[in-house]
Amino acid sequence: MPRTKEQFEAMRLATKNKIHSSAIKLFAKKGFAATGVQDIAESAGISTGLLYRHYKTKDDLFNELISYATLGLEHIVKRFEDDLPPNEVFKEFSLEILNDFKKDDEFANFLMIMNQAISADNPSHQVQQLKKQSEAMMKQTVILIKKGQKLGQFKNGDATEMAYYFFASIQGLSMMKLLLGEQFITPSLNIVTSALLKEDY
């Protein structure tokens, strides 16, 4: 029986997901320059030819991943702009990150790729957008912290320094997760948020 249009689309998406997962893992572990198209195809369990049917170049694949990361940052900014209690917004966001750490390595790998992209020479348009959105996320985080401080939910201190500290701790946890593997223990929500939130919140 011939496949339907929906079946072809499902197969196409499944293949792209395999390519993405393999590329994220390899780019994070080996770096963009040291990762070949054949490496990605072999890891994804597909032929190099099939990979090229989805992406003309390795750069196209990398830039699509960066675009997904940028979209994720945009969603974070919008969440932080919501008129909800700052402490609840912050805890929910932190808990999602911790759950991602518990699930698998993909989130940690993705953060490593974002760091590579932002520090690269001659950044692509997609990378420039990522930098712009990263700055927007940091600014909105500072606003969220200041809002929470006024409500007595967040600890006193320089909101910018507190935002930097929080995201630096997430980056550090990502590196430790990839380094330690199965020995890594995801910290509790209270530990991750203790430097920012007051005990009662």
Side-chain angles (χ1 to χ4, degrees):
M1 183 179 293
R3 293 190 177 96
T4 65
K5 183 178 179 181
E6 289 76 15
Q7 287 174 322
F8 272 117
E9 180 62 18
M11 290 172 64
R12 189 185 72 83
L13 288 175
T15 300
K16 285 193 75 171
N17 287 336
K18 288 181 182 178
I19 294 171
H20 288 174
S21 294
S22 296
I24 289 168
K25 183 177 180 179
L26 289 170
F27 286 150
K29 184 177 181 180
K30 300 174 63 175
F32 176 79
T35 301
V37 171
Q38 187 172 347
D39 297 328
I40 299 170
E42 288 178 358
S43 177
I46 63 173
S47 67
T48 305
L50 180 55
L51 192 151
Y52 277 122
R53 282 166 61 182
H54 287 271
Y55 300 99
K56 293 181 179 179
T57 67
K58 184 175 66 170
D59 290 83
D60 288 343
L61 171 55
F62 186 79
N63 285 326
E64 181 167 289
L65 293 175
I66 293 304
S67 293
Y68 285 142
T70 302
L71 188 62
L73 295 182
E74 289 177 5
H75 287 317
I76 293 171
V77 170
K78 289 178 180 177
R79 285 178 64 181
F80 284 8
E81 289 175 340
D82 284 343
D83 192 24
L84 295 171
N87 63 322
E88 293 301 325
V89 173
F90 188 73
K91 284 197 291 186
E92 183 181 291
F93 171 66
S94 300
L95 189 59
E96 287 180 9
I97 292 175
L98 297 177
N99 286 336
D100 281 337
F101 280 143
K102 290 178 181 178
K103 185 172 65 174
D104 53 38
D105 291 346
E106 191 158 297
F107 176 74
N109 282 326
F110 223 131
L111 285 185
M112 295 302 104
I113 293 174
M114 290 168 67
N115 287 340
Q116 289 179 34
I118 289 175
S119 61
D121 296 327
N122 303 314
S124 64
H125 170 72
Q126 290 86 350
V127 172
Q128 291 176 30
Q129 291 299 111
L130 178 68
K131 288 183 178 180
K132 183 178 179 181
Q133 203 57 47
S134 295
E135 292 171 0
M137 183 190 68
M138 188 62 68
K139 288 180 181 177
Q140 195 57 45
T141 304
V142 171
I143 292 172
L144 183 74
I145 292 172
K146 288 181 177 179
K147 187 176 176 182
Q149 287 174 331
K150 288 183 179 179
L151 294 171
Q153 299 170 349
F154 282 67
K155 293 181 177 179
N156 294 326
D158 185 285
T160 302
E161 292 180 3
M162 294 168 77
Y164 284 161
Y165 179 85
F166 173 75
F167 286 111
S169 69
I170 298 302
Q171 291 283 356
L173 287 171
S174 297
M175 293 179 67
M176 289 188 68
K177 178 170 176 56
L178 297 177
L179 179 66
L180 297 176
E182 293 182 358
Q183 293 182 323
F184 177 78
I185 299 174
T186 302
S188 69
L189 178 64
N190 287 340
I191 289 177
V192 171
T193 60
S194 63
L196 279 76
L197 292 178
K198 291 185 176 180
E199 289 185 11
D200 294 339
Y201 292 93

